[in-house]
Amino acid sequence: MADAPQDAQTGEPTEAEIRAYLEQLRNAEVDQVVAEVATALINAAQVKLGRSDARLLLDLVAVVADQVRGRVPDELTGQLDEALTQLRLAQVDAEKQLKAEGSAEPAQGPATTPSADTGAGQSQGTGESSTAASDNSTGKRLWTPGS
């Protein structure tokens, strides 16, 4: 799905462009929409690693994964589980690093830890390519759901 085009003069989408975008969204496969939403949350969490708001974003990805499990291809939920596992570990590492530097942000809310019910580690191999994002805190490559 592409972003809604914008009017060259005002920078705002025209009514016809909005209607075309809404029609495109209406016709999109649900797993594509879920993948895009989850990717946005994963990318935001990755940028915020070490901060408490990264934990909130990771919790949201976990909720999305749990709610769509069995309703979208297992491949997608497997990719979400794998990304969650890697980002949760990166979050813990980033928090430790910030604490060691003396600039730790106080944690808010319950801690996000990998749990057995997330299906972590059940990722299945895919025939399609996934978008890989770099985790700057550990130098590892993180898998995010791709379309």
Side-chain angles (χ1 to χ4, degrees):
M1 288 184 316
D3 292 330
Q6 295 181 350
D7 181 279
Q9 294 176 349
T10 65
E12 296 292 321
T14 65
E15 185 175 333
E17 291 168 332
I18 291 172
R19 286 186 181 160
Y21 177 72
L22 290 175
E23 186 63 27
Q24 180 184 7
L25 184 59
R26 210 174 275 119
N27 293 325
E29 296 291 327
V30 71
D31 54 324
Q32 181 183 4
V33 175
V34 169
E36 288 187 24
V37 168
T39 299
L41 291 169
I42 287 167
N43 289 335
Q46 185 176 0
V47 170
K48 293 177 172 282
L49 283 176
R51 298 176 47 167
S52 61
D53 47 356
R55 288 180 174 264
L56 173 60
L57 294 166
L58 293 174
D59 288 345
L60 287 170
V61 175
V63 168
V64 169
D66 287 344
Q67 290 299 310
V68 300
R69 199 171 310 282
R71 300 163 124 179
V72 298
D74 291 342
E75 178 180 330
L76 176 58
T77 54
Q79 290 174 344
L80 291 174
D81 291 339
E82 181 65 24
L84 266 173
T85 298
Q86 291 181 24
L87 281 171
R88 284 173 169 159
L89 293 172
Q91 173 69 11
V92 171
D93 288 344
E95 287 174 354
K96 287 178 184 176
Q97 183 178 357
L98 286 174
K99 187 174 182 180
E101 294 170 357
S103 59
E105 177 188 37
Q108 297 175 351
T112 303
T113 56
S115 63
D117 63 342
T118 63
Q122 295 177 356
S123 178
Q124 299 175 358
T126 66
E128 63 182 299
S129 63
S130 297
T131 304
S134 174
D135 173 2
N136 295 331
S137 68
T138 64
K140 296 179 184 173
R141 302 288 289 171
L142 298 175
W143 292 99
T144 56
S147 54

